[in-house]
Amino acid sequence: MSDSVNTVDLYYEEHGQGLPVVLLHGFPFNHTIWQAQQAALSDAARVIAPDLRGHGQSPAPEGEYAMDLMASDVLALLDRLDVPRAVWVGHSLGGYIVMAALRLAPERIAGVGLVATQPLADGEEKRIQRRESAELALENGSADTAFSMMSQIFAPGIDGTSPLAQSVYDIMVNTPPTGIAGAQRGMAQRPDSSDTLRGLSVPAVIVAGVDDKIVERDTTRAMAALIPGVQLVEVEGAGHMPMLEQPEQTTGALRSLIRMVSVQER
Ligand code: MLT
């Protein structure tokens, strides 16, 4: 499946041994947002954190990055690493990719972690905004996107001038314009994934920042209601970036997912 489309070779980092766990970052970030989880979970799992196409150190070709294509990149990486089945964890855009992978290759997914993400497709207004943002990035570079994301991603307690906020801004501003444009165009075309989640039959955990302005609480709770047996972890003091804002709680939720999957796969 994964070699039938134009996949790219993703950059990745890998730590630990055992049950494979793939951590997919959101838009427009890179694998380093998972640093705390990579380090903490490597005592219990083989943690693989790629840079998605168009982000970090992975190739950033021109064009539209459909969610199926981005999922196929990850499947191709797992083929390269000889990993037939893994726990897939996705943050925001990463979550959309997990949902695409659940349609493409459900047999390869042993458990699902959905972090600050949601299953709905964009409305027309949002699609137009994304296309404009893609054009703007190609014309002017990545700073506009990075700047506008900064006002949305953190809970109120996080100081926008702190080293944490500065490091996240640096990640975003260094995402290539072709990557920003490709991901925005791909996200604009993504389908509704509600039915995919309704049919989920592997262990699942949702992690949501209580102060997330991008994925609001009602949307998260509606998503949780779709998934049989899901564990919903609502994190106080976190916005759209719970893995950075409240790393220990996020790690704890993912550790619980790993435990559930280990029992089920035994
Ligand atoms: C993300 O963090 O990946 C984005 O907010 C997702 C989106 O733009 O829908």
Side-chain angles (χ1 to χ4, degrees):
M1 160 107 41
S2 47
D3 55 7
S4 63
V5 291
N6 294 324
T7 57
V8 294
D9 281 355
L10 300 179
Y11 174 85
Y12 69 98
E13 282 191 10
E14 183 178 352
H15 300 274
Q17 288 176 344
L19 179 71
V21 176
V22 193
L23 303 177
L24 304 180
H25 61 81
F27 166 86
F29 308 109
N30 66 34
H31 75 280
T32 61
I33 64 167
W34 296 114
Q35 234 156 29
Q37 287 73 36
Q38 282 180 73
L41 297 173
S42 63
D43 64 354
R46 177 181 177 189
V47 187
I48 301 160
D51 285 340
L52 297 170
R53 75 162 55 210
H55 296 75
Q57 298 176 60
S58 286
E62 289 179 2
E64 176 182 310
Y65 302 171
M67 298 302 100
D68 282 5
L69 181 59
M70 297 186 91
S72 296
D73 288 338
V74 179
L75 288 166
L77 170 65
L78 295 178
D79 287 345
R80 264 203 284 154
L81 298 177
D82 228 356
V83 173
R85 194 167 156 86
V87 175
W88 286 53
V89 176
H91 166 238
S92 206
L93 162 64
Y96 309 155
I97 295 169
V98 173
M99 295 175 218
L102 281 166
R103 286 186 289 274
L104 284 177
E107 72 286 356
R108 303 204 45 182
I109 303 186
V112 168
L114 298 170
V115 180
T117 191
Q118 52 98 7
L120 306 176
D122 286 343
E124 196 44 37
E125 198 180 323
K126 183 73 187 177
R127 287 201 180 109
I128 292 168
Q129 258 177 36
R130 289 203 195 270
R131 287 192 203 107
E132 285 170 0
S133 144
E135 293 310 314
L136 209 63
L138 292 175
E139 277 166 31
N140 299 342
S142 305
D144 285 334
T145 300
F147 193 73
S148 77
M149 290 290 287
M150 279 305 277
S151 63
Q152 297 180 69
I153 54 178
F154 291 119
I158 306 282
D159 172 6
T161 62
S162 65
L164 170 65
Q166 187 57 51
S167 70
V168 174
Y169 179 80
D170 288 346
I171 292 173
M172 294 193 287
V173 84
N174 285 308
T175 300
T178 48
I180 287 181
Q184 287 283 40
R185 290 169 175 158
M187 287 192 284
Q189 297 306 325
R190 74 188 190 283
D192 186 294
S193 292
S194 301
D195 281 345
T196 306
L197 295 184
R198 267 189 207 101
L200 207 58
S201 59
V202 291
V205 165
I206 295 173
V207 181
V210 165
D211 296 314
D212 192 340
K213 299 187 198 87
I214 295 178
V215 182
E216 289 178 358
R217 207 169 193 178
D218 289 352
T219 309
T220 302
R221 288 185 174 179
M223 173 169 76
L226 297 174
I227 306 176
V230 73
Q231 184 180 336
L232 169 60
V233 179
E234 294 183 321
V235 184
E236 298 283 344
H240 193 57
M241 309 299 292
M243 76 297 285
L244 295 171
E245 297 170 282
Q246 299 297 338
E248 280 164 24
Q249 281 185 61
T250 304
T251 300
L254 298 182
R255 197 178 279 289
S256 144
L257 175 64
I258 290 169
R259 245 184 259 121
M260 287 191 282
V261 173
S262 303
V263 169
Q264 182 135 328
E265 299 274 302
R266 209 176 274 158

